[in-house]
Amino acid sequence: MSKIEEFLSEEEEAEVVDAIRRAERKTSGEIRVHIEKTSKGEIWDRAMEVFHLLKMDNTKEDNGVLIYVAIDDRKFIIYGDKGINAVVPKDFWETTKDAIASEFKKGNFKHG
């Protein structure tokens, strides 16, 4: 799979956006999903660049969350800023990562 459009259909993308909106109504956190064909280098560096470009590091309560997906690299990063990290359980990001990876392995990208 090499095209972003093949990763999520327009309908699936709209459903993901709706799910993010619903999640944000239940929390002060700000959530973004960024999907690219490839990170063109170190995925962590690219995810942090995107976090900054999306101004996620300027949230009122330092509670931005970025899910960055590099399709062709078959990798993703979940990054939560310090404000959100202060309130989630210690294993929250690890269990979230495992849940996403499990869905991705099944080809359920929208659910992931």
Side-chain angles (χ1 to χ4, degrees):
M1 182 175 314
S2 61
K3 294 182 181 176
I4 294 170
E5 295 81 19
E6 292 175 354
F7 189 73
L8 290 176
S9 68
E10 285 185 34
E11 182 179 317
E12 290 171 325
E13 182 179 349
E15 290 176 37
V16 169
V17 169
D18 184 57
I20 290 169
R21 286 185 182 133
R22 283 183 280 128
E24 286 181 332
R25 282 188 215 126
K26 298 177 186 175
T27 179
S28 64
E30 296 184 34
I31 306 163
R32 300 292 176 272
V33 176
H34 187 83
I35 302 169
E36 294 183 324
K37 182 177 177 179
T38 179
S39 65
K40 297 181 183 167
E42 292 296 323
I43 190 168
W44 179 260
D45 294 340
R46 179 60 182 153
M48 294 304 96
E49 181 181 15
V50 169
F51 192 82
H52 177 71
L53 289 170
L54 295 175
K55 301 188 185 304
M56 298 299 294
D57 52 355
N58 289 331
T59 59
K60 183 177 178 181
E61 298 179 35
D62 293 326
N63 58 356
V65 176
L66 174 66
I67 300 173
Y68 172 84
V69 181
I71 298 169
D72 284 354
D73 300 336
R74 301 178 59 99
K75 295 181 181 179
F76 69 95
I77 296 279
I78 307 170
Y79 179 75
D81 209 351
K82 60 187 171 195
I84 195 86
N85 286 335
V87 297
V88 297
K90 185 175 181 161
D91 66 343
F92 181 78
W93 299 121
E94 191 66 26
T95 57
T96 302
K97 177 191 72 86
D98 292 345
I100 292 171
S102 175
E103 292 298 327
F104 280 8
K105 285 177 185 174
K106 295 182 223 172
N108 295 330
F109 304 114
K110 178 185 78 170
H111 289 104

